[in-house]
Amino acid sequence: MPRFYFERFCLDSEQKLLSRGDEPVHLTSRAFRLLEFLLGQYPKAVSKRELLDHVWSGGIVEEANLKTLVLEIRTALAQRGGRGDAIRTAFGYGYAFAGSVRIDEGIASTLPVTLRWPGGEVRLPAGIHNIGRAPGCAVVIDAPSVSREHAQLTVSRYELRLKDLASKNGTFFETTRIDSQVDLFDVCRITIGEVVV
């Protein structure tokens, strides 16, 4: 679960804790969910309907309740020396987080992903890695069916995603040729051109 850092605050999604330094900042559970959702959607504005659905899980609720939560968050941040206007009102639409946000997904602790194919093996840390024949690729597969920059693999703590880079011979997940980004399993078979990985 990610941690969001803004001003001198940290919102820890896993521990369900908002803090400034070592001091916890108390919010009701719904106010916490609202702030967490706005931080996760940063920098875009989120509609009131979407916020109501997320915070109250689709239950019937009045818009005034949302305004009350926004006021609670603004007050709690201001009392701890933060910006009271950190939640921006998008008039006639909804709300957005107005400060700057740094997201820490704990990528540094991710175990490397290992790719194996006939004649090769590579371990990849968290990050975005190109697969192809070009020497600059993170995964170099020297085969005639592989394009110079064939596919791209995104490795993070929470996801493993593959996309084709408009290759000539295609990228396959199991037996299906992919034309958009797909989520992979921990153990699966992909085919780069004609090379099974």
Side-chain angles (χ1 to χ4, degrees):
M1 304 281 288
R3 288 181 181 170
F4 301 93
Y5 295 92
F6 59 96
E7 296 180 43
R8 294 181 182 179
F9 295 91
C10 171
L11 185 144
D12 187 322
S13 295
E14 189 169 13
Q15 294 186 34
K16 300 299 180 204
L17 175 68
L18 174 65
S19 59
R20 185 177 188 271
D22 294 332
E23 295 180 34
V25 178
H26 299 289
L27 290 175
T28 61
S29 60
R30 285 199 170 113
F32 184 91
R33 285 184 70 191
L34 174 61
L35 179 58
E36 181 182 37
F37 191 60
L38 289 173
L39 289 168
Q41 298 298 311
Y42 173 82
K44 79 174 198 176
V46 184
S47 72
K48 291 177 184 176
R49 179 76 267 151
E50 194 175 349
L51 290 169
L52 290 168
D53 288 346
H54 179 79
V55 175
W56 279 273
S57 304
I60 298 171
V61 66
E62 294 182 18
E63 243 179 62
N65 293 353
L66 187 58
K67 289 181 183 177
T68 302
L69 291 185
V70 170
L71 179 61
E72 179 186 339
I73 295 166
R74 287 174 174 163
T75 302
L77 295 178
Q79 285 176 346
R80 295 280 197 240
R83 291 178 41 206
D85 60 351
I87 307 295
R88 175 178 64 82
T89 301
F91 292 99
Y93 182 72
Y95 297 94
F97 189 81
S100 68
V101 178
R102 183 173 64 85
I103 302 172
D104 176 10
E105 296 187 30
I107 287 174
S109 67
T110 303
L111 293 173
V113 169
T114 302
L115 300 183
R116 291 184 187 91
W117 63 96
E121 179 177 314
V122 68
R123 290 169 58 91
L124 298 174
I128 299 173
H129 309 283
N130 282 358
I131 302 170
R133 276 187 301 118
C137 289
V139 180
V140 178
I141 301 176
D142 191 16
S145 64
V146 176
S147 299
R148 288 185 54 74
E149 289 191 346
H150 196 104
Q152 191 173 76
L153 185 67
T154 301
V155 179
S156 81
R157 182 177 178 186
Y158 303 105
E159 65 183 2
L160 188 60
R161 307 188 98 187
L162 178 70
K163 75 174 179 178
D164 184 74
L165 297 177
S167 65
K168 180 179 177 184
N169 294 315
T171 302
F172 298 81
F173 172 49
E174 300 298 343
T175 58
T176 305
R177 185 172 182 155
I178 63 171
D179 54 10
S180 61
Q181 194 161 260
V182 295
D183 292 317
L184 302 179
F185 307 118
D186 289 345
V187 178
C188 63
R189 185 183 75 178
I190 61 175
T191 306
I192 307 296
E194 296 173 1
V195 179
V196 176
V197 180

mmCIF file of all heavy atoms in Angstrom, residues 64-97:
data_model
loop_
_atom_site.group_PDB
_atom_site.id
_atom_site.type_symbol
_atom_site.label_atom_id
_atom_site.label_comp_id
_atom_site.label_asym_id
_atom_site.label_seq_id
_atom_site.Cartn_x
_atom_site.Cartn_y
_atom_site.Cartn_z
ATOM 1 N N ALA A 64 -23.957 17.603 1.568
ATOM 2 C CA ALA A 64 -23.504 18.362 2.744
ATOM 3 C C ALA A 64 -22.531 17.539 3.587
ATOM 4 O O ALA A 64 -21.616 18.095 4.207
ATOM 5 C CB ALA A 64 -24.702 18.794 3.582
ATOM 6 N N ASN A 65 -22.699 16.227 3.613
ATOM 7 C CA ASN A 65 -21.785 15.361 4.369
ATOM 8 C C ASN A 65 -20.373 15.411 3.797
ATOM 9 O O ASN A 65 -19.396 15.341 4.538
ATOM 10 C CB ASN A 65 -22.294 13.924 4.385
ATOM 11 C CG ASN A 65 -23.588 13.772 5.165
ATOM 12 O OD1 ASN A 65 -24.047 14.701 5.796
ATOM 13 N ND2 ASN A 65 -24.171 12.602 5.093
ATOM 14 N N LEU A 66 -20.290 15.527 2.483
ATOM 15 C CA LEU A 66 -18.988 15.624 1.821
ATOM 16 C C LEU A 66 -18.304 16.937 2.208
ATOM 17 O O LEU A 66 -17.115 16.953 2.524
ATOM 18 C CB LEU A 66 -19.172 15.529 0.302
ATOM 19 C CG LEU A 66 -17.918 15.451 -0.553
ATOM 20 C CD1 LEU A 66 -17.060 14.264 -0.169
ATOM 21 C CD2 LEU A 66 -18.306 15.367 -2.030
ATOM 22 N N LYS A 67 -19.060 18.030 2.220
ATOM 23 C CA LYS A 67 -18.512 19.334 2.622
ATOM 24 C C LYS A 67 -17.994 19.284 4.057
ATOM 25 O O LYS A 67 -16.956 19.869 4.371
ATOM 26 C CB LYS A 67 -19.581 20.423 2.499
ATOM 27 C CG LYS A 67 -19.927 20.777 1.080
ATOM 28 C CD LYS A 67 -20.982 21.870 1.038
ATOM 29 C CE LYS A 67 -21.392 22.167 -0.390
ATOM 30 N NZ LYS A 67 -22.455 23.176 -0.440
ATOM 31 N N THR A 68 -18.698 18.577 4.915
ATOM 32 C CA THR A 68 -18.282 18.441 6.314
ATOM 33 C C THR A 68 -16.931 17.724 6.413
ATOM 34 O O THR A 68 -16.062 18.125 7.192
ATOM 35 C CB THR A 68 -19.352 17.684 7.123
ATOM 36 O OG1 THR A 68 -20.589 18.390 7.014
ATOM 37 C CG2 THR A 68 -18.971 17.555 8.577
ATOM 38 N N LEU A 69 -16.743 16.667 5.615
ATOM 39 C CA LEU A 69 -15.471 15.932 5.632
ATOM 40 C C LEU A 69 -14.324 16.793 5.108
ATOM 41 O O LEU A 69 -13.214 16.765 5.654
ATOM 42 C CB LEU A 69 -15.569 14.655 4.808
ATOM 43 C CG LEU A 69 -16.459 13.542 5.347
ATOM 44 C CD1 LEU A 69 -16.330 12.309 4.470
ATOM 45 C CD2 LEU A 69 -16.120 13.198 6.782
ATOM 46 N N VAL A 70 -14.590 17.553 4.051
ATOM 47 C CA VAL A 70 -13.558 18.433 3.490
ATOM 48 C C VAL A 70 -13.138 19.457 4.540
ATOM 49 O O VAL A 70 -11.952 19.722 4.733
ATOM 50 C CB VAL A 70 -14.050 19.111 2.196
ATOM 51 C CG1 VAL A 70 -13.093 20.210 1.751
ATOM 52 C CG2 VAL A 70 -14.214 18.078 1.081
ATOM 53 N N LEU A 71 -14.105 20.028 5.248
ATOM 54 C CA LEU A 71 -13.811 20.992 6.310
ATOM 55 C C LEU A 71 -12.991 20.338 7.428
ATOM 56 O O LEU A 71 -12.049 20.926 7.961
ATOM 57 C CB LEU A 71 -15.111 21.579 6.866
ATOM 58 C CG LEU A 71 -14.947 22.590 8.007
ATOM 59 C CD1 LEU A 71 -14.133 23.791 7.554
ATOM 60 C CD2 LEU A 71 -16.312 23.025 8.530
ATOM 61 N N GLU A 72 -13.340 19.096 7.775
ATOM 62 C CA GLU A 72 -12.591 18.370 8.808
ATOM 63 C C GLU A 72 -11.125 18.204 8.409
ATOM 64 O O GLU A 72 -10.218 18.416 9.230
ATOM 65 C CB GLU A 72 -13.220 16.990 9.049
ATOM 66 C CG GLU A 72 -12.492 16.169 10.090
ATOM 67 C CD GLU A 72 -13.021 14.743 10.227
ATOM 68 O OE1 GLU A 72 -14.179 14.477 9.831
ATOM 69 O OE2 GLU A 72 -12.273 13.889 10.738
ATOM 70 N N ILE A 73 -10.883 17.831 7.152
ATOM 71 C CA ILE A 73 -9.508 17.642 6.672
ATOM 72 C C ILE A 73 -8.757 18.968 6.671
ATOM 73 O O ILE A 73 -7.631 19.064 7.166
ATOM 74 C CB ILE A 73 -9.500 17.014 5.258
ATOM 75 C CG1 ILE A 73 -10.080 15.602 5.302
ATOM 76 C CG2 ILE A 73 -8.088 16.999 4.688
ATOM 77 C CD1 ILE A 73 -10.424 15.033 3.944
ATOM 78 N N ARG A 74 -9.378 20.010 6.127
ATOM 79 C CA ARG A 74 -8.732 21.326 6.066
ATOM 80 C C ARG A 74 -8.358 21.816 7.473
ATOM 81 O O ARG A 74 -7.254 22.315 7.688
ATOM 82 C CB ARG A 74 -9.661 22.335 5.391
ATOM 83 C CG ARG A 74 -9.798 22.136 3.896
ATOM 84 C CD ARG A 74 -10.841 23.068 3.317
ATOM 85 N NE ARG A 74 -10.890 22.994 1.862
ATOM 86 C CZ ARG A 74 -11.915 23.443 1.138
ATOM 87 N NH1 ARG A 74 -12.965 24.001 1.729
ATOM 88 N NH2 ARG A 74 -11.880 23.347 -0.180
ATOM 89 N N THR A 75 -9.279 21.652 8.412
ATOM 90 C CA THR A 75 -9.042 22.098 9.792
ATOM 91 C C THR A 75 -7.912 21.300 10.435
ATOM 92 O O THR A 75 -7.019 21.877 11.072
ATOM 93 C CB THR A 75 -10.332 21.961 10.619
ATOM 94 O OG1 THR A 75 -11.362 22.722 9.996
ATOM 95 C CG2 THR A 75 -10.137 22.451 12.033
ATOM 96 N N ALA A 76 -7.921 19.989 10.277
ATOM 97 C CA ALA A 76 -6.887 19.134 10.878
ATOM 98 C C ALA A 76 -5.503 19.489 10.337
ATOM 99 O O ALA A 76 -4.530 19.558 11.089
ATOM 100 C CB ALA A 76 -7.209 17.664 10.621
ATOM 101 N N LEU A 77 -5.398 19.729 9.026
ATOM 102 C CA LEU A 77 -4.110 20.087 8.437
ATOM 103 C C LEU A 77 -3.647 21.455 8.927
ATOM 104 O O LEU A 77 -2.480 21.642 9.273
ATOM 105 C CB LEU A 77 -4.195 20.061 6.904
ATOM 106 C CG LEU A 77 -4.460 18.696 6.253
ATOM 107 C CD1 LEU A 77 -4.568 18.840 4.744
ATOM 108 C CD2 LEU A 77 -3.403 17.679 6.625
ATOM 109 N N ALA A 78 -4.563 22.418 8.949
ATOM 110 C CA ALA A 78 -4.215 23.782 9.390
ATOM 111 C C ALA A 78 -3.776 23.797 10.850
ATOM 112 O O ALA A 78 -2.839 24.512 11.217
ATOM 113 C CB ALA A 78 -5.394 24.724 9.165
ATOM 114 N N GLN A 79 -4.426 23.009 11.695
ATOM 115 C CA GLN A 79 -4.063 22.961 13.113
ATOM 116 C C GLN A 79 -2.665 22.400 13.334
ATOM 117 O O GLN A 79 -2.037 22.676 14.341
ATOM 118 C CB GLN A 79 -5.088 22.125 13.888
ATOM 119 C CG GLN A 79 -6.399 22.832 14.104
ATOM 120 C CD GLN A 79 -7.430 21.944 14.792
ATOM 121 O OE1 GLN A 79 -7.260 20.722 14.891
ATOM 122 N NE2 GLN A 79 -8.506 22.560 15.260
ATOM 123 N N ARG A 80 -2.168 21.614 12.410
ATOM 124 C CA ARG A 80 -0.827 21.023 12.528
ATOM 125 C C ARG A 80 0.204 21.799 11.708
ATOM 126 O O ARG A 80 1.273 21.289 11.385
ATOM 127 C CB ARG A 80 -0.846 19.565 12.051
ATOM 128 C CG ARG A 80 -1.682 18.666 12.913
ATOM 129 C CD ARG A 80 -0.892 18.290 14.162
ATOM 130 N NE ARG A 80 -1.482 17.145 14.795
ATOM 131 C CZ ARG A 80 -1.951 17.144 16.035
ATOM 132 N NH1 ARG A 80 -1.892 18.220 16.759
ATOM 133 N NH2 ARG A 80 -2.474 16.052 16.544
ATOM 134 N N GLY A 81 -0.149 23.016 11.303
ATOM 135 C CA GLY A 81 0.802 23.859 10.581
ATOM 136 C C GLY A 81 0.804 23.655 9.089
ATOM 137 O O GLY A 81 1.681 24.168 8.385
ATOM 138 N N GLY A 82 -0.161 22.900 8.563
ATOM 139 C CA GLY A 82 -0.254 22.688 7.121
ATOM 140 C C GLY A 82 -1.121 23.736 6.464
ATOM 141 O O GLY A 82 -1.650 24.637 7.112
ATOM 142 N N ARG A 83 -1.282 23.602 5.172
ATOM 143 C CA ARG A 83 -2.120 24.527 4.417
ATOM 144 C C ARG A 83 -3.582 24.137 4.584
ATOM 145 O O ARG A 83 -3.964 23.007 4.296
ATOM 146 C CB ARG A 83 -1.763 24.479 2.935
ATOM 147 C CG ARG A 83 -0.400 25.047 2.615
ATOM 148 C CD ARG A 83 -0.068 24.941 1.140
ATOM 149 N NE ARG A 83 -1.220 25.262 0.314
ATOM 150 C CZ ARG A 83 -1.378 24.795 -0.923
ATOM 151 N NH1 ARG A 83 -0.508 23.980 -1.446
ATOM 152 N NH2 ARG A 83 -2.434 25.136 -1.631
ATOM 153 N N GLY A 84 -4.386 25.098 5.006
ATOM 154 C CA GLY A 84 -5.813 24.849 5.140
ATOM 155 C C GLY A 84 -6.514 24.719 3.799
ATOM 156 O O GLY A 84 -7.593 24.159 3.703
ATOM 157 N N ASP A 85 -5.855 25.223 2.730
ATOM 158 C CA ASP A 85 -6.459 25.162 1.395
ATOM 159 C C ASP A 85 -5.885 24.005 0.571
ATOM 160 O O ASP A 85 -5.923 24.026 -0.656
ATOM 161 C CB ASP A 85 -6.263 26.484 0.658
ATOM 162 C CG ASP A 85 -4.779 26.841 0.484
ATOM 163 O OD1 ASP A 85 -3.920 26.151 1.072
ATOM 164 O OD2 ASP A 85 -4.500 27.801 -0.250
ATOM 165 N N ALA A 86 -5.348 22.992 1.259
ATOM 166 C CA ALA A 86 -4.758 21.848 0.552
ATOM 167 C C ALA A 86 -5.800 21.076 -0.257
ATOM 168 O O ALA A 86 -5.479 20.434 -1.242
ATOM 169 C CB ALA A 86 -4.068 20.914 1.529
ATOM 170 N N ILE A 87 -7.064 21.133 0.175
ATOM 171 C CA ILE A 87 -8.149 20.544 -0.610
ATOM 172 C C ILE A 87 -8.802 21.677 -1.393
ATOM 173 O O ILE A 87 -9.395 22.585 -0.808
ATOM 174 C CB ILE A 87 -9.196 19.845 0.285
ATOM 175 C CG1 ILE A 87 -8.549 18.829 1.219
ATOM 176 C CG2 ILE A 87 -10.290 19.196 -0.569
ATOM 177 C CD1 ILE A 87 -7.908 17.661 0.541
ATOM 178 N N ARG A 88 -8.648 21.644 -2.701
ATOM 179 C CA ARG A 88 -9.180 22.697 -3.569
ATOM 180 C C ARG A 88 -10.591 22.340 -4.017
ATOM 181 O O ARG A 88 -10.865 21.196 -4.385
ATOM 182 C CB ARG A 88 -8.270 22.853 -4.784
ATOM 183 C CG ARG A 88 -8.772 23.835 -5.831
ATOM 184 C CD ARG A 88 -7.792 23.968 -6.986
ATOM 185 N NE ARG A 88 -7.615 22.752 -7.752
ATOM 186 C CZ ARG A 88 -8.443 22.338 -8.715
ATOM 187 N NH1 ARG A 88 -9.518 23.025 -9.023
ATOM 188 N NH2 ARG A 88 -8.182 21.222 -9.377
ATOM 189 N N THR A 89 -11.472 23.340 -3.982
ATOM 190 C CA THR A 89 -12.830 23.142 -4.492
ATOM 191 C C THR A 89 -12.817 23.396 -5.991
ATOM 192 O O THR A 89 -12.392 24.460 -6.443
ATOM 193 C CB THR A 89 -13.823 24.114 -3.817
ATOM 194 O OG1 THR A 89 -13.788 23.898 -2.404
ATOM 195 C CG2 THR A 89 -15.234 23.896 -4.330
ATOM 196 N N ALA A 90 -13.283 22.427 -6.766
ATOM 197 C CA ALA A 90 -13.484 22.604 -8.205
ATOM 198 C C ALA A 90 -14.962 22.955 -8.369
ATOM 199 O O ALA A 90 -15.816 22.071 -8.392
ATOM 200 C CB ALA A 90 -13.123 21.334 -8.958
ATOM 201 N N PHE A 91 -15.263 24.237 -8.393
ATOM 202 C CA PHE A 91 -16.641 24.723 -8.320
ATOM 203 C C PHE A 91 -17.544 24.068 -9.365
ATOM 204 O O PHE A 91 -17.199 23.980 -10.538
ATOM 205 C CB PHE A 91 -16.675 26.244 -8.444
ATOM 206 C CG PHE A 91 -16.065 26.926 -7.251
ATOM 207 C CD1 PHE A 91 -14.765 27.391 -7.299
ATOM 208 C CD2 PHE A 91 -16.774 27.039 -6.068
ATOM 209 C CE1 PHE A 91 -14.182 27.990 -6.190
ATOM 210 C CE2 PHE A 91 -16.204 27.629 -4.952
ATOM 211 C CZ PHE A 91 -14.903 28.109 -5.014
ATOM 212 N N GLY A 92 -18.687 23.603 -8.883
ATOM 213 C CA GLY A 92 -19.663 22.952 -9.747
ATOM 214 C C GLY A 92 -19.291 21.540 -10.149
ATOM 215 O O GLY A 92 -19.982 20.912 -10.943
ATOM 216 N N TYR A 93 -18.154 21.039 -9.616
ATOM 217 C CA TYR A 93 -17.716 19.702 -10.013
ATOM 218 C C TYR A 93 -17.369 18.818 -8.810
ATOM 219 O O TYR A 93 -17.993 17.793 -8.589
ATOM 220 C CB TYR A 93 -16.501 19.807 -10.940
ATOM 221 C CG TYR A 93 -16.010 18.470 -11.432
ATOM 222 C CD1 TYR A 93 -16.734 17.749 -12.381
ATOM 223 C CD2 TYR A 93 -14.830 17.909 -10.952
ATOM 224 C CE1 TYR A 93 -16.296 16.510 -12.826
ATOM 225 C CE2 TYR A 93 -14.375 16.680 -11.387
ATOM 226 C CZ TYR A 93 -15.125 15.986 -12.325
ATOM 227 O OH TYR A 93 -14.695 14.762 -12.755
ATOM 228 N N GLY A 94 -16.360 19.216 -8.041
ATOM 229 C CA GLY A 94 -15.932 18.373 -6.923
ATOM 230 C C GLY A 94 -14.740 18.966 -6.206
ATOM 231 O O GLY A 94 -14.690 20.163 -5.959
ATOM 232 N N TYR A 95 -13.732 18.128 -5.923
ATOM 233 C CA TYR A 95 -12.564 18.561 -5.161
ATOM 234 C C TYR A 95 -11.297 17.945 -5.740
ATOM 235 O O TYR A 95 -11.343 16.930 -6.438
ATOM 236 C CB TYR A 95 -12.699 18.136 -3.695
ATOM 237 C CG TYR A 95 -13.870 18.775 -2.989
ATOM 238 C CD1 TYR A 95 -15.099 18.115 -2.909
ATOM 239 C CD2 TYR A 95 -13.757 20.040 -2.420
ATOM 240 C CE1 TYR A 95 -16.181 18.699 -2.273
ATOM 241 C CE2 TYR A 95 -14.841 20.631 -1.780
ATOM 242 C CZ TYR A 95 -16.043 19.960 -1.703
ATOM 243 O OH TYR A 95 -17.111 20.546 -1.078
ATOM 244 N N ALA A 96 -10.163 18.578 -5.397
ATOM 245 C CA ALA A 96 -8.855 18.062 -5.794
ATOM 246 C C ALA A 96 -7.849 18.396 -4.707
ATOM 247 O O ALA A 96 -8.046 19.345 -3.949
ATOM 248 C CB ALA A 96 -8.411 18.692 -7.116
ATOM 249 N N PHE A 97 -6.780 17.607 -4.640
ATOM 250 C CA PHE A 97 -5.706 17.942 -3.718
ATOM 251 C C PHE A 97 -4.850 18.998 -4.392
ATOM 252 O O PHE A 97 -4.434 18.841 -5.538
ATOM 253 C CB PHE A 97 -4.869 16.716 -3.348
ATOM 254 C CG PHE A 97 -3.912 17.015 -2.236
ATOM 255 C CD1 PHE A 97 -4.352 17.001 -0.921
ATOM 256 C CD2 PHE A 97 -2.599 17.360 -2.501
ATOM 257 C CE1 PHE A 97 -3.486 17.325 0.117
ATOM 258 C CE2 PHE A 97 -1.725 17.672 -1.477
ATOM 259 C CZ PHE A 97 -2.176 17.657 -0.160
#
